Amino acid sequence: MAEKMLAAVLYDFNRLELAEVARPRAEQVGEVVVRIKACGFCATDYKAIAGIRRNVSFPFIPGHEPSGIVAEVGPGVTAFKAGDAVIVQPSGFCGFCPACRVGNTHYCEHAFTTGGDGPTDVWPGAFAEYMRTRTSCLFHKPKGISFDAAAITEPLSGAWKGVIQYSQMQVADDVVVIGVGSIGLLCMMVAKAAGAGRLIAIDVSDYALRNALDLGATHVINPAKEDAKQRVYQIMPNGPDLVVEAAGPIAAVKLMVDLRRRGTRWNVFGITTHETFEIDGGLTHFLEGRMDASFGTTPLAMSMAIRLMERGLVDTETIISHRFPLARIHEAMAVIASPDRNKVIVQP
Ligand SMILES: [Zn+2]
Ligand SMILES: [Zn+2]
């Protein structure tokens, strides 16, 4: 194996460069090196590169939605061997702290991330030919799933965790998803697979709404063109059972709160910026408003996402709009910044 590899290295905000860097090695117990085949380009990567999120230390290799082939295993690794096709969970965990012991590995006191956001311990990510991680972050990739589709496991797992595990969507529930970029579409596809009754997608982009209709929305609403609440209550006279905000802007959170009727469950899923919204305490009490929020992923959610794909319940391939080799990462970045795109895949 070569000693050097190609990587997209962020040296400063807005300074992403293709560089030859040292290939990582699996030297510690439990470590593995994966030859990356595909990696999803997430909004979090874009925000780091463009300087929209500032908690980045340089140099940094972004990319946290990888699939690939095990290239090298470190001491003590028995569950995986060189040549195994794998999917990588980007959030590492210790397995022994109180949070890990009850299954909340995304709260781990010793968490690390490969190329992602959240933990303070940040390892180089997957916009590179090779990436080092721990074997506890690996999942075997089923044969029937392409590397590109497998690279969308982590966002799909987040959608499953939010919609099913936390908000407990039930068969025939009337569901509204606000914001149908790639993560909102995945929420919608999970809801459809779980037997949603009426399924409304709300977005200000007509491109996104066309995708939503293709992928199973029963109705779409563009709030820039019509009164979203009025339309939702025309389509769902009894109001939604579940509303998922997968958009990001605070206006989307406010719309979600505004769409409630008695007993509606709502999930603060997309917003990551520190903006506030008001809720009426008494009204929330009498409505029995049930709020959830969801971030990150867990081995349980990753496993369920892999099952959803393997059993043909969610086809993540359908949300891929662009593919770029690593050498064309800057073109990928430009596409991410444009409105007419869905999931972008980088192939190192
Ligand atoms: Zn992401
Ligand atoms: Zn832990």
Side-chain angles (χ1 to χ4, degrees):
M1 234 182 298
E3 290 300 304
K4 296 273 184 182
M5 67 166 184
L6 184 68
V9 185
L10 188 65
Y11 290 100
D12 199 348
F13 296 122
N14 295 304
R15 228 192 101 202
L16 184 72
E17 291 177 15
L18 284 164
E20 286 266 304
V21 299
R23 183 179 67 78
R25 309 301 304 258
E27 280 162 355
Q28 303 296 318
V29 171
E31 286 186 351
V32 287
V33 169
V34 177
R35 172 71 180 91
I36 304 300
K37 298 285 284 180
C39 183
F41 202 136
C42 177
T44 312
D45 301 314
Y46 172 78
K47 287 176 187 166
I49 297 165
I52 297 164
R53 84 174 165 90
R54 308 297 291 185
N55 58 336
V56 181
S57 35
F58 306 106
F60 171 58
I61 300 177
H64 59 271
E65 299 172 358
S67 63
I69 295 171
V70 174
E72 184 186 334
V73 300
V77 174
T78 53
F80 294 87
K81 59 182 189 315
D84 285 356
V86 291
I87 296 166
V88 186
Q89 177 177 334
S91 46
F93 51 93
C94 74
F96 298 104
C97 72
C100 281
R101 286 296 201 198
V102 296
N104 289 326
T105 51
H106 56 316
Y107 302 166
C108 176
E109 292 166 15
H110 310 285
F112 69 95
T113 174
T114 45
D117 188 8
T120 46
D121 186 10
V122 181
W123 296 15
F127 287 169
E129 289 177 306
Y130 294 88
M131 192 189 83
R132 176 178 62 105
T133 186
R134 286 203 193 120
T135 187
S136 50
C137 294
L138 294 189
F139 295 81
H140 288 287
K141 182 186 78 63
K143 277 204 172 61
I145 306 171
S146 70
F147 283 102
D148 288 354
I152 304 174
T153 305
E154 189 258 355
L156 177 61
S157 75
W160 176 85
K161 177 171 161 286
V163 173
I164 305 296
Q165 187 184 13
Y166 282 25
S167 288
Q168 297 174 11
M169 199 211 107
Q170 307 290 317
V171 66
D173 268 358
D174 284 338
V175 178
V176 178
V177 179
I178 304 173
V180 279
S182 51
I183 190 73
L185 284 176
L186 291 170
C187 288
M188 218 191 71
M189 289 157 85
V190 167
K192 185 180 157 62
R198 299 187 185 96
L199 183 52
I200 300 178
I202 300 181
D203 204 293
V204 290
S205 155
D206 287 327
Y207 174 87
L209 293 178
R210 272 195 305 277
N211 288 332
L213 272 180
D214 286 345
L215 295 172
T218 58
H219 302 78
V220 295
I221 298 171
N222 185 334
K225 296 180 180 170
E226 51 191 335
D227 184 318
K229 184 173 182 179
Q230 216 173 50
R231 274 293 289 145
V232 166
Y233 275 81
Q234 274 169 7
I235 299 160
M236 301 175 177
N238 301 317
D241 297 298
L242 170 63
V243 187
V244 179
E245 175 274 313
I250 192 72
V253 179
K254 288 176 177 160
L255 174 60
M256 172 171 67
V257 175
D258 198 34
L259 289 179
R260 298 179 298 173
R261 48 92 169 143
R262 290 195 134 174
T264 295
R265 305 183 299 283
W266 39 293
N267 199 312
V268 186
F269 187 87
I271 189 165
T272 56
T273 50
H274 299 278
E275 297 164 274
T276 57
F277 60 97
E278 281 187 358
I279 52 170
D280 178 323
L283 181 64
T284 301
H285 169 84
F286 286 112
L287 289 178
E288 294 192 332
R290 295 166 56 190
M291 186 181 95
D292 284 298
S294 182
F295 81 93
T297 190
T298 61
L300 169 65
M302 290 288 290
S303 303
M304 296 310 290
I306 292 168
R307 258 202 232 190
L308 282 169
M309 293 187 291
E310 193 183 21
R311 310 292 196 269
L313 292 165
V314 172
D315 181 2
T316 50
E317 195 97 37
T318 56
I319 70 163
I320 300 171
S321 64
H322 296 77
R323 294 171 169 87
F324 293 97
L326 181 61
R328 290 168 59 198
I329 188 84
H330 294 96
E331 285 171 62
M333 183 69 185
V335 166
I336 289 282
S338 78
D340 288 356
R341 55 97 186 164
N342 204 340
K343 194 72 191 174
V344 177
I345 297 288
V346 176
Q347 297 164 324

